[in-house]
Amino acid sequence: MEKGRFEYRKATKEDIVRIQEIYAFAREQMRKTGNPNQWGDNKPPLETIMSDIKNGNLILICNPDICGVFSFTIGLEKTYSIIENGKWLNDDKYGVIHKVASAGNNCGIMEAVLFYCEKKIGNIRIDTHNDNKIMQHILEKNGYVKCGRIYVEDGSPRIAYQKVN
């Protein structure tokens, strides 16, 4: 499926039921593929989703119905201020991708997320759990470089990636 074939729009409160369904499906897929701990049973929490919607950071991927969701911001990410066992590729302004999930009914959702974000800014950072082998593979296949380890708000480690276009 072509990367540009999807449509994108900002999520609204009216989308919350579908968004929660997609995140529930994604959590189950993560469990089935050997990654039960990254999101556990309740991540991302409803208050985080609502905050992302309010701030205009939660993006929906549609084809034509909602088939994916992710958070995207441009600016500093506090959990990226300290990186261990490596370093970021640069200190330039960057975009941050978080909370990517697919409804499972379209191939290429992660590539569609990267396509969207890379069009917005040519310097992207993203992190993933050590057990999320699928995400690691997709990121590396799309030119993302493993930069080191960061720690998210709950103190758990994540593999940090960056791509500079």
Side-chain angles (χ1 to χ4, degrees):
M1 181 169 290
E2 266 181 71
K3 293 176 188 174
R5 186 165 170 230
F6 295 101
E7 294 196 14
Y8 305 85
R9 69 174 174 83
K10 291 187 178 190
T12 67
K13 289 185 286 188
E14 289 73 27
D15 300 312
I16 197 66
V17 170
R18 182 65 180 137
I19 291 166
Q20 288 184 297
E21 290 171 351
I22 292 171
Y23 280 130
F25 176 81
R27 285 190 299 271
E28 182 58 29
Q29 291 306 114
M30 289 170 131
R31 276 191 283 281
K32 287 180 180 177
T33 58
N35 183 19
N37 301 312
Q38 184 171 352
W39 283 0
D41 293 326
N42 63 350
K43 288 185 184 171
L46 179 59
E47 57 270 13
T48 300
I49 295 168
M50 295 304 289
S51 176
D52 281 343
I53 290 172
K54 180 181 174 191
N55 294 326
N57 299 330
L58 203 64
I59 309 297
L60 302 178
I61 302 171
C62 305
N63 186 23
D65 298 323
I66 301 168
C67 57
V69 59
F70 64 99
S71 173
F72 182 65
T73 57
I74 295 176
L76 297 176
E77 165 66 45
K78 66 181 178 179
T79 60
Y80 291 176
S81 63
I82 298 173
I83 186 167
E84 296 178 347
N85 299 330
K87 65 179 190 169
W88 294 111
L89 300 177
N90 62 39
D91 293 322
D92 298 345
K93 185 176 180 181
Y94 57 89
V96 179
I97 303 169
H98 282 307
K99 300 182 279 293
V100 178
S102 168
N105 55 359
N106 281 271
C107 292
I109 293 298
M110 187 62 207
E111 283 89 352
V113 169
L114 300 176
F115 177 80
Y116 173 91
C117 297
E118 290 170 14
K119 288 228 175 267
K120 299 290 182 188
I121 188 168
N123 192 17
I124 304 286
R125 293 181 183 182
I126 186 170
D127 63 84
T128 193
H129 195 279
N130 188 59
D131 293 339
N132 196 337
K133 304 300 184 197
I134 294 169
M135 179 68 81
Q136 293 170 46
H137 172 75
I138 293 170
L139 291 172
E140 291 169 15
K141 181 177 86 171
N142 283 279
Y144 282 73
V145 176
K146 196 179 293 187
C147 293
R149 180 175 42 240
I150 59 98
Y151 293 87
V152 293
E153 288 179 357
D154 70 4
S156 61
R158 297 290 186 269
I159 301 170
Y161 286 88
Q162 185 173 7
K163 182 177 181 183
V164 179
N165 287 333

